[in-house]
Amino acid sequence: MVMNERLLWGALAAAAWLLPAAPAAAQPFDEDYYRRTGKEPIVVETVDRDSLGIDTLRRIDTVAGEQMRLRDGGNGRVMLEVGGYGLTLGRSYESKAWDGLKRKKVWMTLLHDFEFGFNYLSGLDYAGYAPEQRGFLDQRLGPSFHFSFHIVGLGGTFNRSRSLTYDVGLQYTVDNIRLIDNASTVGYEQGRIVPVALDVPADKSKLVYSYLGIPLRFNYRPVKRVELTAVLYNDFLLGADAIRKHPKRKHGVSGFRGYQFGVGVSASYRGFGLFVRYAPTPLFRSGAGPECRACSFGLSYSLHL
């Protein structure tokens, strides 16, 4: 009997030594129990290792007994379990979708392909106008400026080295025709663009028109930092105005074609280059103005953000 009691007490002592956390976990909350002699609270934590790594069980609220568990959820995700409920923490759908686009070699283009140059009306033909009206669109080339830039779009590549790429998007263009004759401006009468004489000659007289287009660009990089580009322009008219200054006056002008198709080429090094673009489509509607086509040329700068 004495031997059995000794064996029993030995077994209980071994169990207490091997499982010290079990009684503590079952112990009811007692503030004095969780304080040392110095009256400092003890933070109770247990660490468990499993096949996925290290999981931490932390007692958030000692009174309620709630637990939080943070573990690996696979595929770069983290699983947060609170009170028996699981919450998966991971990257958003949008970021994953954008990664998918990059894997498919597609990217966003923003604010690039700026064009600064001159605008020229080629092939001016005043057939059908009276002799005194001819020449009213003759221009000063220097002040006849052209400005255009790519707003936003999508780009992609045809090969792994990205030496052959493309992009499509939205482009804003404004063209300015500075008239030689400052004593007249441009008007629209009886379905036709005509010259209008001024009572007092102005310091400047010009014709300004703007487009919002959808260009399709094909870019080729034969060597590093050198880029050759071919462009198909599809431009839609935003508005056209005749403007004179000192005194400053402005009025709208009709007769322009609502759609312009154009082609262009450019060559650049480190983003700086030269461009030429030409519109085979007549600038004005049939019978609404002189027969002419717009041509632009100048400097270009490609800034990719």
Side-chain angles (χ1 to χ4, degrees):
M1 185 65 179
V2 175
M3 182 61 68
N4 291 337
E5 289 180 355
R6 290 180 178 178
L7 291 175
L8 178 60
W9 284 109
L12 291 177
W17 182 78
L18 291 174
L19 300 174
Q27 187 80 1
F29 175 75
D30 184 355
E31 185 175 355
D32 292 334
Y33 179 82
Y34 288 98
R35 292 184 179 274
R36 293 190 181 95
T37 305
K39 303 299 183 180
E40 296 178 358
I42 299 175
V43 179
V44 179
E45 294 183 353
T46 62
V47 177
D48 182 25
R49 293 182 179 269
D50 57 14
S51 60
L52 295 177
I54 300 177
D55 288 348
T56 301
L57 302 179
R58 185 183 302 274
R59 191 173 296 278
I60 303 300
D61 187 344
T62 310
V63 177
E66 294 180 351
Q67 292 181 340
M68 180 180 70
R69 186 179 185 186
L70 193 65
R71 64 180 181 83
D72 183 10
N75 296 325
R77 298 174 299 175
V78 176
M79 178 69 72
L80 176 65
E81 296 178 354
V82 180
Y85 294 93
L87 176 64
T88 301
L89 306 177
R91 301 181 64 187
S92 65
Y93 171 78
E94 291 81 2
S95 63
K96 292 179 180 179
W98 184 245
D99 283 347
L101 287 177
K102 290 193 294 184
R103 285 195 298 270
K104 294 179 180 179
K105 301 177 182 178
V106 177
W107 56 84
M108 177 176 288
T109 58
L110 179 66
L111 297 178
H112 69 96
D113 288 303
F114 290 82
E115 296 175 352
F116 309 90
F118 306 97
N119 188 41
Y120 174 70
L121 298 182
S122 66
L124 264 172
D125 185 359
Y126 292 99
Y129 283 88
E132 63 273 12
Q133 292 179 318
R134 297 181 181 183
F136 70 95
L137 284 183
D138 292 354
Q139 67 183 102
R140 300 178 188 272
L141 182 60
S144 299
F145 68 83
H146 164 90
F147 173 69
S148 180
F149 71 97
H150 184 105
I151 304 171
V152 66
L154 289 177
T157 181
F158 294 106
N159 54 5
R160 291 185 178 180
S161 64
R162 296 193 177 186
S163 62
L164 187 60
T165 62
Y166 68 90
D167 62 77
V168 61
L170 293 178
Q171 182 163 352
Y172 175 76
T173 301
V174 58
D175 287 322
N176 180 317
I177 300 297
R178 176 75 175 273
L179 304 179
I180 292 179
D181 186 6
N182 293 339
S184 67
T185 184
V186 177
Y188 186 76
E189 298 176 0
Q190 299 179 351
R192 199 174 195 188
I193 295 175
V194 296
V196 178
L198 299 175
D199 296 334
V200 178
D203 292 340
K204 299 177 181 179
S205 181
K206 56 186 178 180
L207 187 63
V208 180
Y209 46 96
S210 58
Y211 295 93
L212 184 65
I214 305 175
L216 177 59
R217 302 176 184 274
F218 299 94
N219 311 297
Y220 173 58
R221 296 181 179 87
V223 295
K224 189 176 181 180
R225 300 187 181 92
V226 174
E227 184 173 85
L228 305 176
T229 302
V231 190
L232 300 178
Y233 295 97
N234 298 277
D235 295 329
F236 300 89
L237 184 69
L238 293 177
D241 298 289
I243 301 175
R244 63 184 188 273
K245 292 186 177 181
H246 307 299
K248 185 176 181 179
R249 297 289 186 272
K250 175 181 176 180
H251 61 270
V253 177
S254 300
F256 286 76
R257 285 182 178 268
Y259 168 77
Q260 283 280 329
F261 171 75
V263 294
V265 293
S266 67
S268 63
Y269 176 72
R270 291 181 177 269
F272 294 92
L274 302 174
F275 80 92
V276 176
R277 60 189 286 184
Y278 174 75
T281 308
L283 183 62
F284 303 112
R285 296 196 303 266
S286 178
E291 185 75 13
C292 63
R293 288 162 176 79
C295 177
S296 302
F297 58 92
L299 302 176
S300 63
Y301 177 61
S302 298
L303 173 64
H304 294 265
L305 298 180

